[in-house]
Amino acid sequence: MHQNQIASITGIGSYLPSKKLTNHDLEKIVDTTDDWILQRTGIRERRIVENGVATSDLAAHASLKAIENAGISAEEIDMIITSTITPDYLFPSTSCCLQKQIGATRASAFDISAACSGFVYALSIGQSFVNSGAAKTVLVVGSECLSKIVDYTDRTTCVLFGDGAGAVVVQNNPEKHQILDTRLVSDGSHSDVLIIHGGGSKHPASPDSIQQRLHYIQFRGKEVFKLAINNITNLVIETAQKNGFDVQDIDLIIPHQSNLRIIEATMEKLNLPMEKAFVNINKYGNTSSASVPIAIDEAQQEGRLKKGDLVMLVAFGGGLTWGSSVIKW
Ligand code: UT7
């Protein structure tokens, strides 16, 4: 057993497809308005992949940037963990497709499924492997092509989601951005509030499942909305308590970008100013498990993360699942 390993983020990268789908574009597709979408969600536009582009393609772009940022080669990677709800295939894993694209020939590779919280879940696994000494270099990825599972005839969901990818390299390096703690929570009793019913073993793909549109995201927005605010707020408070600091000590919260109103309500409940939350939902919409790593990368590029800052990642999504991660920048 290795002692005193300190899992840290040593490289960060993200990738967004260039094609934009604006609220005004959506006005032409479904019965909605720019004003409704902006007021209710904070979203102005989202990015959408071209035909033929898959989740592993976005993941590869983001990963290569993270690898370069960490100053390593792909051959040094011991493990690839990708979080996605839009895998290239049901199997093999998107991580194996990604491994092939980036030439990480030594790595073991697998995916995890925890919907919008998935990046925090994957980071926790990477952190554990590095802290135990079982792996030296782990690539943790959140990548999604949500445009492929969104019903563009359903205005209640199609305005919310976009495509993108983010990746980090996790290694033992106390000089870098130390992952101090990660907390994961799940509540399967609400598994049906945010779901794709079709295409799995319960309702395998069939002409009937397609006709019933079971292969698209369905969710009960209002229920998810309330559960998200309460559970994220409680988790931030618990995480602070367990790690011996005050919520007010947090320098930046990097939340999953699902709805600006959820972020605002959570910050208000935590009695924190909005300046302490990183927000980019206006540009990308909800990119599920890609949203947190994309936000980390942008926060770093915008100079919002300074050495020694106390940073909290927090995410909430289908499952239900939620999770937090404390990072000393
Ligand atoms: O990432 C995983 C976690 N995801 C979330 O946390 C998302 C949580 N939920 C939400 O963000 C919000 O519930 C939504 C943004 C999805 C919806 O906002 P809302 O304020 O809860 O609206 P609502 O569903 O109560 O709908 C209000 C009205 C309805 O009309 P009536 O019944 O009041 O006449 C809807 O039919 O808005 C209507 N509506 C729309 N109108 C224009 C619903 N979608 C649209 C739309 N454009 N796109």
Side-chain angles (χ1 to χ4, degrees):
M1 201 62 183
H2 298 244
Q3 296 293 317
N4 304 321
Q5 305 286 312
I6 299 174
S8 299
I9 293 177
T10 61
I12 309 161
S14 65
Y15 177 77
L16 280 308
S18 57
K19 187 172 159 190
K20 291 177 183 173
L21 181 67
T22 66
N23 292 350
H24 294 295
D25 295 330
L26 285 162
E27 283 177 346
K28 294 174 199 140
I29 303 173
V30 286
D31 179 16
T32 192
T33 60
D34 172 48
D35 195 48
W36 190 96
I37 302 170
L38 199 56
Q39 297 308 318
R40 299 286 178 133
T41 71
I43 303 168
R44 285 181 189 278
E45 59 189 31
R46 59 296 285 140
R47 301 298 179 90
I48 302 292
V49 293
E50 300 289 347
N51 285 341
V53 175
T55 295
S56 67
D57 300 322
L58 303 186
H61 286 294
S63 299
L64 289 172
K65 289 184 187 174
I67 289 166
E68 189 187 353
N69 186 242
I72 61 165
S73 69
E75 290 83 17
E76 288 175 62
I77 297 168
D78 298 312
M79 178 177 284
I80 300 173
I81 313 168
T82 303
S83 163
T84 186
I85 54 168
T86 49
D88 288 22
Y89 310 103
L90 278 181
F91 79 92
S93 71
T94 300
S95 288
C96 282
C97 301
L98 172 62
Q99 174 185 30
K100 182 175 158 191
Q101 290 206 42
I102 64 174
T105 47
R106 286 185 47 254
S108 59
F110 58 93
D111 295 353
I112 65 120
S113 171
C116 300
S117 315
F119 177 79
V120 175
Y121 272 63
L123 188 66
S124 166
I125 300 169
Q127 175 197 10
S128 303
F129 269 91
V130 170
N131 278 345
S132 74
K136 279 194 171 145
T137 302
V138 181
L139 178 65
V140 178
V141 185
S143 185
E144 304 284 4
C145 285
L146 296 175
S147 61
K148 311 271 182 138
I149 57 165
V150 160
D151 183 352
Y152 284 101
T153 67
D154 174 10
R155 71 174 184 175
T156 64
T157 52
C158 76
V159 301
L160 303 174
F161 299 102
D163 302 337
V168 300
V169 174
V170 179
Q171 295 177 295
N172 170 39
N173 185 344
E175 300 303 311
K176 289 295 189 115
H177 317 307
Q178 294 181 23
I179 306 167
L180 302 180
D181 187 29
T182 310
R183 314 197 74 76
L184 309 177
V185 194
S186 307
D187 179 0
S189 68
H190 294 289
S191 56
D192 59 340
V193 297
L194 187 47
I195 189 166
I196 293 183
H197 286 279
S201 59
K202 190 99 172 172
H203 302 288
S206 66
D208 194 42
S209 77
I210 303 285
Q211 205 238 328
Q212 289 185 53
R213 307 182 91 72
L214 298 185
H215 53 298
Y216 290 127
I217 296 180
Q218 291 179 359
F219 86 138
R220 302 205 290 272
K222 265 208 169 358
E223 279 176 58
V224 181
F225 190 90
K226 284 185 199 149
L227 288 162
I229 295 167
N230 290 335
N231 287 316
I232 295 170
T233 304
N234 291 340
L235 183 60
V236 171
I237 294 167
E238 271 169 40
T239 306
Q241 277 171 355
K242 293 254 164 62
N243 285 278
F245 61 83
D246 197 273
V247 168
Q248 303 300 322
D249 297 333
I250 300 170
D251 292 297
L252 190 68
I253 294 195
I254 300 184
H256 166 50
Q257 311 283 312
S258 57
N259 188 322
L260 180 60
R261 288 189 295 140
I262 291 178
I263 299 173
E264 287 172 343
T266 305
M267 295 302 279
E268 196 179 321
K269 276 181 163 241
L270 291 169
N271 202 19
L272 289 175
M274 269 306 279
E275 296 78 63
K276 285 198 172 191
F278 187 82
V279 175
N280 63 3
I281 190 170
N282 50 318
K283 295 188 287 184
Y284 308 131
N286 179 347
T287 57
S288 191
S289 59
S291 91
V292 170
I294 293 170
I296 299 173
D297 194 26
E298 292 204 339
Q300 158 144 297
Q301 284 177 29
E302 290 175 18
R304 300 276 302 271
L305 296 167
K306 311 242 167 16
K307 188 147 181 64
D309 275 359
L310 195 57
V311 179
M312 186 151 348
L313 315 179
V314 65
F316 183 89
L320 295 172
T321 56
W322 55 108
S324 64
S325 191
V326 185
I327 299 171
K328 185 161 182 260
W329 207 256

